[in-house]
Amino acid sequence: MHSFGYRANAVLAFSVTILALICGIASFSDNFNSPSPDAQVRVLNINWFRKKPDGNDEVSLTLNISANLESLFTWNTKQVFVFLAAEYKTPKNALNQVSLWDGIIPSKEKAKIRIHTTNKYRFIDQGSNLRGKDFNLTLHWHVMPKTGKMLRDNLVMSGFRLPEAYR
Ligand SMILES: *[C@@H]1O[C@H](CO)[C@@H](O)[C@H](O)[C@H]1NC(C)=O
Ligand SMILES: *[C@@H]1O[C@H](CO)[C@@H](O)[C@H](O)[C@H]1NC(C)=O
């Protein structure tokens, strides 16, 4: 009775419904994955620390970053974007956030990181607030799924402190 066109249409509508259902289950099942990444960052050296001619403080650090982000990966994970930020308070701002390093992790097999590096992006304060400053190093991650919404979270490592004097 039904024309070929009508049937093809029905089949298409059915498979679109199934696909939507699978995508829904995929992103829903991600909610049950409670990842437990771990990370350690050590400041191995303060390479230099100065007040720039414009009056803003700048510091160069050598960092040892190690992290295991394998638990962020599920079969629905496309890739993970990570960045390490120095975070500190100043009289003007409750949170200053300076990105020092970032990377893209393409797969679970690459999710154990061991990096020994100087800061990839400049650590500059908008002022001269860095002497003797306590700061946190926070590893932030954005999990980009194949389907569903992006998840972001972070791990705070506290107890870092810059020297009292320029060097
Ligand atoms: C970097 O950190 C890892 C893990 O904490 C450690 O095994 C390694 O010895 C560190 N490297 C340096 C140069 O401190
Ligand atoms: C640094 O971390 C500590 C402990 O987690 C937290 O209390 C503090 O607010 C953090 N500082 C900044 C500037 O985010």
Side-chain angles (χ1 to χ4, degrees), residues 87-145:
E87 297 178 348
Y88 58 97
K89 294 184 179 74
T90 54
K92 261 194 185 163
N93 300 303
L95 177 62
N96 296 271
Q97 193 179 61
V98 183
S99 177
L100 301 181
W101 172 87
D102 65 8
I104 287 172
I105 302 166
S107 66
K108 188 171 188 168
E109 289 66 43
K110 301 267 167 65
K112 272 191 180 163
I113 322 173
R114 263 168 189 253
I115 293 160
H116 183 199
T117 182
T118 55
N119 47 296
K120 178 174 170 185
Y121 303 110
R122 298 175 73 178
F123 187 171
I124 299 175
D125 179 52
Q126 300 302 312
S128 58
N129 300 296
L130 296 185
R131 278 168 297 167
K133 179 59 72 183
D134 290 314
F135 66 105
N136 292 341
L137 287 171
T138 305
L139 191 71
H140 294 259
W141 57 86
H142 297 176
V143 180
M144 297 171 192

Side-chain angles (χ1 to χ4, degrees), residues 8-164:
N9 225 331
V11 168
L12 185 66
F14 180 69
S15 48
V16 166
T17 307
I18 294 287
L19 191 64
L21 198 66
I22 290 172
C23 290
I25 291 169
S27 52
F28 184 66
S29 70
D30 264 3
N31 295 335
F32 292 112
N33 179 43
S34 49
S36 53
D38 88 275
Q40 289 101 38
V41 179
R42 251 177 268 169
V43 176
L44 297 180
N45 194 38
I46 309 284
N47 305 314
W48 43 264
F49 183 23
R50 62 171 183 161
K51 188 204 263 290
K52 299 198 297 139
D54 66 7
N56 292 336
D57 281 353
E58 177 169 15
V59 62
S60 166
L61 309 173
T62 299
L63 302 165
N64 184 14
I65 306 167
S66 41
N68 183 342
L69 305 177
E70 285 176 337
S71 64
L72 296 177
F73 284 80
T74 67
W75 61 279
N76 188 35
T77 307
K78 194 160 126 207
Q79 61 182 26
V80 173
F81 171 70
V82 278
F83 69 97
L84 183 75
E87 297 178 348
Y88 58 97
K89 294 184 179 74
T90 54
K92 261 194 185 163
N93 300 303
L95 177 62
N96 296 271
Q97 193 179 61
V98 183
S99 177
L100 301 181
W101 172 87
D102 65 8
I104 287 172
I105 302 166
S107 66
K108 188 171 188 168
E109 289 66 43
K110 301 267 167 65
K112 272 191 180 163
I113 322 173
R114 263 168 189 253
I115 293 160
H116 183 199
T117 182
T118 55
N119 47 296
K120 178 174 170 185
Y121 303 110
R122 298 175 73 178
F123 187 171
I124 299 175
D125 179 52
Q126 300 302 312
S128 58
N129 300 296
L130 296 185
R131 278 168 297 167
K133 179 59 72 183
D134 290 314
F135 66 105
N136 292 341
L137 287 171
T138 305
L139 191 71
H140 294 259
W141 57 86
H142 297 176
V143 180
M144 297 171 192
K146 292 178 180 150
T147 171
K149 61 179 193 307
M150 190 177 82
L151 302 172
R152 45 176 96 196
D153 206 349
N154 65 69
L155 193 73
V156 180
M157 289 157 277
S158 51
F160 298 91
R161 177 166 241 243
L162 287 167
E164 297 289 344

